[in-house]
Amino acid sequence: MSSRLSLLIGVLCISIFPVLVKSTPISGISDAFYRMSIATVLLWPYVVISRKWEPKTLHYWKPIIICRVFFATDIAVWNLSIHYSTATQASLLTNLSPIWVGISTFLFFPEKPNKFFWLGTALAVVGLVLLMGVETFVQMKFDLGFLLAVLSGLLYAGYIVVSKTVLKRVSILNFMACSTTVSSLFLLTVCGLLHEPLWGFERRIWGSLLIQALICQLLGWFSVSYALQKIDAQRVSLSLLSQAVVTGFIAWVFIDEKITFQMILGGIIILLGIAVTFKRTVSTA
């Protein structure tokens, strides 16, 4: 399977997640915990029975833990940012992560993003602002919600960059098995500290959580991780912006969310920006 096809599959699977979360009436942090823990329970038996486990994976336990704490904290912080501000503002600021990935790649890695990456990023950010609403950007409130959303974007960028380095050394299945375990334990601790509910849910809620684990977490992030092994981290992070476009379309079809001409224009500009970054390879310092 080509890396670009894998990235496309990953984007499609992850794009379902916000719609499922919105239609699942439980705490966002509880939702995230079960997404990770169900995926962990399903993944480990396959890794062990199929003899895919590689003991050398444990040599990289530090970056794996750092990587998954970044990801799990990102989910928790993003949910808190929505509580203190609005979903639109939180989504806009969190999705600025490609900028942080590009800056960290420029500062700390030998492969430097070239002008096509920065041009594509600029186009994608303009598209994102249009998609989310210009008025949201203009009326941005620099409060606790704003700071949490920015932190969420930084954590998401950290996850992309660190996971890229780990996936150069370990297999995807081993990485995911260990990382979902770490995320599950971390989110369980967060749920305990914040007294988030973990049981007593309706049957349809458990069904939604199972779909999130199978499709959004296992298939979605397996595909993204595969792409990360082959494609530059900054391009992957920018490509993940397209999930906002796909999510908007899915929400329009299944839960009757409104789509305006401005949102369609923003989505087209985001996709154009992503396409620009794939025109050339990154330059090497």
Side-chain angles (χ1 to χ4, degrees):
M1 181 169 60
S2 72
S3 56
R4 294 188 185 185
L5 177 59
S6 177
L7 184 56
L8 175 61
I9 293 173
V11 168
L12 291 174
C13 292
I14 296 171
S15 298
I16 302 171
F17 179 64
V19 177
L20 289 174
V21 170
K22 189 164 185 177
S23 59
T24 305
I26 64 171
S27 161
I29 300 178
S30 300
D31 188 298
F33 164 70
Y34 277 112
R35 168 184 164 185
M36 292 297 177
S37 59
I38 293 173
T40 301
V41 171
L42 294 174
L43 186 57
W44 269 111
Y46 173 77
V47 171
V48 174
I49 293 173
S50 62
R51 299 182 180 180
K52 301 288 186 181
W53 173 247
E54 299 172 355
K56 71 172 185 177
T57 303
L58 295 178
H59 296 164
Y60 307 100
W61 65 272
K62 287 183 180 179
I64 288 175
I65 289 178
I66 291 172
C67 181
R68 295 315 290 195
V69 168
F70 273 151
F71 187 76
T73 307
D74 166 43
I75 295 175
V77 169
W78 186 77
N79 279 283
L80 289 174
S81 71
I82 293 175
H83 176 73
Y84 286 107
S85 59
T86 65
T88 304
Q89 176 175 291
S91 298
L92 173 61
L93 294 171
T94 298
N95 279 293
L96 295 181
S97 58
I99 297 176
W100 314 130
V101 172
I103 292 174
S104 62
T105 302
F106 178 80
L107 293 175
F108 302 113
F109 292 88
E111 292 182 341
K112 309 299 182 184
N114 68 2
K115 61 182 181 181
F116 291 97
F117 169 76
W118 294 116
L119 176 59
T121 299
L123 282 172
V125 169
V126 170
L128 183 64
V129 171
L130 286 174
L131 181 69
M132 296 296 181
V134 177
E135 62 281 357
T136 299
F137 185 78
V138 173
Q139 298 172 4
M140 198 76 72
K141 294 181 179 180
F142 298 92
D143 53 11
L144 180 58
F146 176 93
L147 295 175
L148 288 171
V150 171
L151 177 59
S152 175
L154 289 169
L155 290 166
Y156 193 27
Y159 166 75
I160 294 293
V161 172
V162 176
S163 61
K164 171 72 174 179
T165 62
V166 178
L167 286 166
K168 290 180 179 179
R169 298 173 175 84
V170 302
S171 72
I172 297 174
L173 284 175
N174 282 248
F175 169 74
M176 289 189 65
C178 292
S179 60
T180 54
T181 302
V182 173
S183 292
S184 298
L185 294 173
F186 180 82
L187 288 169
L188 178 61
T189 303
V190 173
C191 286
L193 292 174
L194 298 179
H195 305 289
E196 300 289 354
L198 292 176
W199 48 79
F201 305 141
E202 298 176 11
R203 184 175 300 177
R204 69 179 183 88
I205 292 177
W206 290 113
S208 174
L209 295 173
L210 181 60
I211 293 173
Q212 290 177 43
L214 285 172
I215 305 299
C216 306
Q217 184 59 39
L218 291 180
L219 179 57
W221 282 103
F222 178 89
S223 300
V224 171
S225 297
Y226 180 85
L228 270 171
Q229 287 186 323
K230 312 291 183 180
I231 304 175
D232 304 317
Q234 62 267 23
R235 284 180 179 170
V236 172
S237 67
L238 189 60
S239 297
L240 290 175
L241 278 184
S242 61
Q243 76 179 77
V245 181
V246 180
T247 297
F249 177 77
I250 294 173
W252 173 62
V253 172
F254 292 102
I255 58 177
D256 296 322
E257 285 202 353
K258 183 180 179 181
I259 290 184
T260 64
F261 173 76
Q262 178 179 303
M263 294 172 67
I264 294 174
L265 179 62
I268 292 173
I269 294 175
I270 288 175
L271 297 177
L272 177 62
I274 293 169
V276 167
T277 67
F278 281 93
K279 286 295 183 181
R280 296 288 188 278
T281 57
V282 293
S283 58
T284 304

